[in-house]
Amino acid sequence: MLEAKSLAEEFAKHVAGCPSGIIACTVGAAVEAWFQVELAHLLVRAGLDSVQLGYDYPNTREKADLAVKGKWGLSVIEIKCFVQGADSNKMDTWPRQLKRLLHLAENGVAAQGVAVSTYFGYSEKKTSDLVSRFYPIPWSHAGPLRFLADAPLRLVVATVSNLNHGLVG
């Protein structure tokens, strides 16, 4: 399975090495689509069987950002970029997206849900408070960590899995 800590570290390293990474990590803009493409690129480069942009949640019109198949099964990935002062709607929608990921794992539809979130313009305390609110048990998370030492954007990767299927990290 995708492990929160190693995925966060590898993704941070990947973004830091992208020519446009410095822009993405220093401007106060939500760049989910850019992160979606770069995360897909990282996963393909890591040799995963199938990486799909977009995933249709069963029996809904909702769509996740990415899905990837590995030897463990299916991981469904949501990405959200938070920018202080421009996030009131995202603060409401992100918890619902996380619940959908959790239900996929609990119901065995996916082996794992993965949440990738970034935070721009928030204090360390506020970021920490949001992470605690968004990712209670059974989620496990890595971060917040900076993509670049001198850039303000912070990354958090959180995972939840259905351990009843015998799938471990």
Side-chain angles (χ1 to χ4, degrees):
M1 275 200 231
L2 299 172
E3 294 185 48
K5 184 176 186 221
S6 47
L7 183 58
E9 290 170 352
E10 289 300 315
F11 192 45
K13 190 182 339 174
H14 173 83
V15 167
C18 291
S20 54
I22 187 70
I23 305 295
C25 295
T26 57
V27 298
V31 289
E32 277 111 350
W34 185 83
F35 281 119
Q36 181 183 18
V37 169
E38 291 303 329
L39 183 56
H41 180 240
L42 172 71
L43 295 169
V44 167
R45 222 179 59 211
L48 291 166
D49 298 341
S50 169
V51 177
Q52 166 187 335
L53 292 176
Y55 168 83
D56 294 321
Y57 285 98
N59 306 314
T60 74
R61 292 182 170 187
E62 303 297 330
K63 197 172 192 106
D65 294 305
L66 292 166
V68 59
K69 287 185 182 173
K71 61 185 175 198
W72 61 85
L74 179 68
S75 292
V76 177
I77 303 169
E78 292 277 15
I79 301 169
K80 188 68 71 189
C81 297
F82 293 95
V83 178
Q84 186 179 20
D87 292 336
S88 60
N89 187 44
K90 291 181 181 184
M91 293 293 176
D92 294 332
T93 59
W94 189 234
R96 289 194 300 268
Q97 289 173 275
L98 297 174
K99 281 183 185 172
R100 283 194 295 268
L101 288 175
L102 178 62
H103 288 135
L104 286 179
E106 286 177 338
N107 296 328
V109 175
Q112 179 182 48
V114 179
V116 176
S117 53
T118 64
Y119 303 85
F120 185 92
Y122 291 99
S123 68
E124 286 186 40
K125 169 128 179 54
K126 179 64 175 178
T127 302
S128 180
D129 290 347
L130 289 170
V131 169
S132 295
R133 183 175 120 204
F134 292 147
Y135 309 116
I137 293 173
W139 289 90
S140 63
H141 75 275
L145 57 97
R146 291 185 189 270
F147 289 95
L148 300 160
D150 56 347
L153 191 66
R154 293 185 180 98
L155 168 69
V156 174
V157 174
T159 60
V160 65
S161 63
N162 182 345
L163 297 180
N164 295 332
H165 289 275
L167 300 170
V168 294

